[in-house]
Amino acid sequence: MFNLVIGQYVPLDSYVHRLDPRSKLISVFLFVIIVFLANNWLTNALMVLFCLAGILLSKMHFSFIYRGLRSVFIIVLITFLLNLFLASGGTVLFSWGWLHVTTNGLFQSIFIAIRILVIIVVTTLLTLTTSPIEITDGMESLLKPLKKLKMPVHEFALMMSISLRFIPTLLEETEKIIKAQAARGSDFTSGSLKSRIKAIVPLLVPLFVGAFKRAEDLAMAMEARGYHGDVGRTKLHQLSWTWRDTLLLAAIVLLALLLLLVRN
Amino acid sequence: MDITFEQVTHVYGRKTPFEKRALNNVSIHIPSGSFTSIIGHTGSGKSTLVQHINGILKPSAGRITVGDFVIRANEKKQNLKALREKVGFVFQYPEHQLFEETIIKDVCFGPMNFGVSEAEATKRAEECLQLVGLPSQLWHRSPFDLSGGQMRRVAIAGVLAVRPQVIILDEPTAGLDPMGREEILSLFKDLHERLNLTIVMVTHNMSDAANYSDQVIVMDGGKPLMAGAPERIFSQVDQLRKVGLDIPETMEFLNRLLDRVGKKETIPAFTINEAADAVIKILGGVKDHV
Ligand SMILES: Nc1ncnc2c1ncn2[C@@H]1O[C@H](COP(=O)(O)OP(=O)(O)OP(=O)(O)O)[C@@H](O)[C@H]1O
Ligand SMILES: [Mg+2]
């Protein structure tokens, strides 16, 4: 029912899966910044190539990633159209009333669309190849210096891992509730806007009630098992940084240098 | 309303790494007015199967006929609402459907969705809450203050209030005490006999399947393994054991007794009385007992 791929973890065995979450997090962070260096065909092609290489190395199916991206295509399309008509400069390709499409506008909007897609693909790849636990462990480890400033890094990481962990559960729950209410004649997909909004109430109420109940149960289960916060807590999975992680960071730096060289 | 499955296949998460073939080329027939139980190991596709009957799930391939309604694979828009008015569905987890401020309003939700007036819906709701045995002092309370078993009763009342011709029950007695289980199953048996409702029940309880139904379908790995009268199904002890199922306790008892006295047969007996009769027969004892 839901083709949401973002936030889902697919356990496979690949180079990308085996990387240290810290190197993946840093790389994605850097990549998202680097993307903004791309401003001509060659630099954009480089970004796309990097993404393709990442997908290949992760053993993910292109069709799977494509299907996951379908839901964000509409956003990409809107930004594309906005830019198409708003950017100016270059020769006019065609006009329609007061709207003009120029070569510059066309290129700019294509670049921006590529930029958004590339960012989404890379972050999706991160969550597809890294389990929520790894991501939060990596985050916590990277943010450790902030603990000195009395920042609740551990609590923040815990909150994040719990929310990530429960995204699929919540989706599953939503699906079950939609089924149950549809069986009672509730209709989410047709009728006037008003009746559709009204049909959301029978969906949201059980969803919230269930979420609160689960939160209570979880808190109780954690306390019952002796959870007492950060102090003296050890990790089940130790993070280990290998030469592959160094290689990945080197690749990112190399990419950045290349972009700086060939951009306009 | 006759229910017919013709070569129905259902695949979850098609073209993803999580692809799962939950039903594989299933063809079954559930006659109008029958009480059919569906049994099978956990994950054998029972819930998936019954969710096709009211169009909650669409088949990936094949065809389902329910009365005059036909559901085919790859068909976009169908008049599912009309089908769902005729086919009621009690889900495995009732807490997924309660949402109103009061219990009685929640029971009215179904009928009012199908165009019944508020007054009529309230009348039906009171009737059905009475039927499922929920004390009337609770009717104006919030459904979230109830116990799991009471929630289940409210959920069942909510389905009955629509007055369907077919009722699908997915483990209707989970979370009920033995008394409550007996009450709820007798209620459905009574509706089945009095109003000639078609009932399809998914259950893990072999005794319930044996006692209440006139047809049992055994699911295994997304396929129907056997279908037939409970007497016939529960005589195939070895087959059932192979797919991780049991036989009713009364039969288990008789089998061991027959073993002890050195006889090689199986006697289908599902109630305590039938079992007692069988014991007397096996031991060759008193003829005219009560
Ligand atoms: N929404 C879903 N998405 C993906 N796979 C599913 C989904 N629902 C069920 N499955 C899978 O389909 C198979 C059949 O599931 P189903 O719920 O029909 O089993 P069941 O016989 O009802 O089991 P139980 O007795 O535990 O209720 C299982 O392997 C299950 O993992
Ligand atoms: Mg089930």
Side-chain angles (χ1 to χ4, degrees):
Chain A
M1 198 169 245
F2 295 97
N3 281 326
L4 207 70
V5 171
I6 301 167
Q8 231 180 48
Y9 171 58
V10 181
L12 290 174
D13 189 26
S14 77
Y15 286 118
V16 184
H17 282 77
R18 267 174 276 148
L19 286 169
D20 189 300
R22 285 171 296 185
S23 68
K24 280 192 264 190
L25 280 165
I26 298 173
S27 308
V28 168
F29 182 71
L30 290 178
F31 187 87
V32 170
I33 297 172
I34 292 172
V35 164
F36 289 91
L37 293 175
N39 64 355
N40 57 16
W41 288 107
L42 190 59
T43 44
N44 273 294
L46 273 173
M47 303 312 286
V48 173
L49 272 181
F50 185 86
C51 277
L52 292 181
I55 297 175
L56 278 179
L57 282 174
S58 71
K59 294 191 187 162
M60 285 297 156
H61 268 291
F62 279 101
S63 65
F64 185 56
I65 290 180
Y66 164 72
R67 275 157 41 91
L69 289 182
R70 264 195 318 210
S71 44
V72 290
F73 273 161
I74 186 76
I75 301 173
V76 177
L77 194 72
I78 290 171
T79 20
F80 177 82
L81 289 178
L82 277 179
N83 278 291
L84 191 60
F85 294 120
L86 293 181
S88 56
T91 51
V92 177
L93 288 175
F94 68 86
S95 309
W96 184 53
W98 50 271
L99 289 170
H100 308 287
V101 175
T102 62
T103 42
N104 241 350
L106 183 64
F107 295 158
Q108 281 308 323
S109 37
I110 292 177
F111 292 158
I112 287 175
I114 290 180
R115 193 175 287 170
I116 299 175
L117 281 178
V118 156
I119 289 177
I120 293 171
V121 166
V122 166
T123 40
T124 307
L125 208 55
L126 173 74
T127 56
L128 282 176
T129 61
T130 323
S131 72
I133 306 266
E134 282 181 300
I135 291 184
T136 42
D137 275 359
M139 283 267 189
E140 193 178 347
S141 168
L142 287 174
L143 295 179
K144 217 182 265 165
L146 291 182
K147 269 189 204 167
K148 298 231 162 56
L149 302 174
K150 292 254 167 13
M151 296 275 247
V153 173
H154 170 77
E155 286 71 16
F156 170 71
L158 181 77
M159 258 161 58
M160 211 175 76
S161 77
I162 290 176
S163 354
L164 282 173
R165 157 64 186 79
F166 280 104
I167 289 174
T169 315
L170 229 55
L171 287 180
E172 234 170 70
E173 195 102 307
T174 312
E175 192 180 328
K176 280 188 184 150
I177 297 168
I178 289 179
K179 278 184 181 175
Q181 303 301 28
R184 299 209 284 166
S186 181
D187 202 342
F188 304 96
T189 50
S190 66
S192 65
L193 187 66
K194 195 176 150 223
S195 72
R196 280 197 217 192
I197 290 173
K198 262 178 87 179
I200 291 181
V201 177
L203 171 68
L204 285 185
V205 175
L207 198 63
F208 274 100
V209 171
F212 279 116
K213 190 162 174 326
R214 200 169 312 99
E216 260 172 42
D217 289 351
L218 185 69
M220 206 143 24
M222 279 168 69
E223 266 180 54
R225 289 197 274 172
Y227 177 80
H228 54 76
D230 188 18
V231 189
R233 196 171 168 76
T234 54
K235 288 261 184 292
L236 177 60
H237 299 287
Q238 294 293 338
L239 302 175
S240 66
W241 187 279
T242 67
W243 60 269
R244 284 206 184 86
D245 300 293
T246 317
L247 195 68
L248 174 63
L249 286 193
I252 291 279
V253 173
L254 196 70
L255 182 71
L257 290 177
L258 259 175
L259 286 179
L260 283 174
L261 269 177
V262 295
R263 75 193 292 259
N264 288 358
Chain B
M1 302 219 288
D2 276 332
I3 301 163
T4 311
F5 279 63
E6 287 165 88
Q7 296 173 337
V8 173
T9 295
H10 189 91
V11 183
Y12 282 112
R14 207 172 354 187
K15 295 204 189 110
T16 68
F18 307 104
E19 184 166 301
K20 167 86 199 168
R21 187 172 285 253
L23 290 183
N24 195 358
N25 217 358
V26 173
S27 299
I28 54 167
H29 179 69
I30 299 172
S32 183
S34 73
F35 194 129
T36 301
S37 288
I38 299 178
I39 58 175
H41 199 260
T42 189
S44 57
K46 306 181 295 295
S47 299
T48 309
L49 179 79
V50 291
Q51 283 174 21
H52 280 85
I53 301 177
N54 69 343
I56 290 283
L57 289 179
K58 309 249 167 65
S60 308
R63 196 166 85 132
I64 297 135
T65 321
V66 183
D68 298 331
F69 298 93
V70 181
I71 305 166
R72 285 189 200 82
N74 311 321
E75 210 168 276
K76 270 268 141 72
K77 214 45 190 169
Q78 287 142 324
N79 191 9
L80 290 174
K81 203 160 167 177
L83 172 64
R84 287 172 189 161
E85 189 177 353
K86 298 273 188 289
V87 182
F89 201 120
V90 179
F91 278 84
Q92 217 164 343
Y93 305 102
E95 58 274 24
H96 284 147
Q97 58 165 306
L98 305 178
F99 73 97
E100 281 282 14
E101 295 145 62
T102 67
I103 289 167
I104 196 140
K105 271 195 196 168
D106 204 279
V107 176
C108 289
F109 178 67
M112 283 169 68
N113 274 332
F114 292 114
V116 172
S117 72
E118 189 167 349
E120 167 70 10
T122 312
K123 201 179 116 246
R124 287 194 196 179
E126 285 171 356
E127 226 173 80
C128 293
L129 284 169
Q130 201 101 49
L131 267 181
V132 298
L134 197 81
S136 58
Q137 62 265 31
L138 294 178
W139 292 0
H140 293 278
R141 295 244 203 105
S142 158
F144 298 109
D145 296 338
L146 297 178
S147 75
Q150 289 170 325
M151 280 190 190
R152 186 158 281 273
R153 286 169 199 259
V154 176
I156 290 172
V159 170
L160 292 181
V162 180
R163 301 212 170 132
Q165 293 174 17
V166 178
I167 298 185
I168 302 161
L169 308 165
D170 198 344
E171 297 183 34
T173 54
L176 294 180
D177 55 60
M179 263 269 277
R181 205 182 84 204
E182 182 81 40
E183 270 171 39
I184 290 297
L185 288 176
S186 308
L187 168 67
F188 285 114
K189 181 93 182 162
D190 180 56
L191 288 170
H192 166 66
E193 279 163 2
R194 213 157 38 89
L195 305 173
N196 200 27
L197 293 187
T198 312
I199 300 211
V200 182
M201 172 169 80
V202 174
T203 182
H204 280 286
N205 188 310
M206 298 304 130
S207 300
D208 289 350
N211 276 321
Y212 291 95
S213 48
D214 38 45
Q215 185 187 215
V216 176
I217 297 175
V218 184
M219 290 294 292
D220 178 42
K223 277 194 165 164
L225 184 75
M226 305 186 256
E231 289 80 14
R232 207 169 67 77
I233 298 295
F234 288 111
S235 301
Q236 327 234 16
V237 186
D238 295 333
Q239 282 257 42
L240 290 175
R241 289 268 154 80
K242 218 182 287 165
V243 297
L245 292 177
D246 251 336
I247 52 175
E249 285 193 333
T250 45
M251 284 190 67
E252 180 73 41
F253 171 77
L254 288 176
N255 280 355
R256 296 211 187 153
L257 182 67
L258 286 163
D259 245 15
R260 290 279 178 89
V261 300
K263 289 189 189 167
K264 269 260 159 288
E265 57 177 321
T266 40
I267 304 174
F270 305 137
T271 61
I272 304 277
N273 278 335
E274 281 169 19
D277 285 346
V279 170
I280 291 168
K281 215 175 89 198
I282 295 167
L283 300 177
V286 210
K287 287 261 152 49
D288 45 335
H289 63 286
V290 190

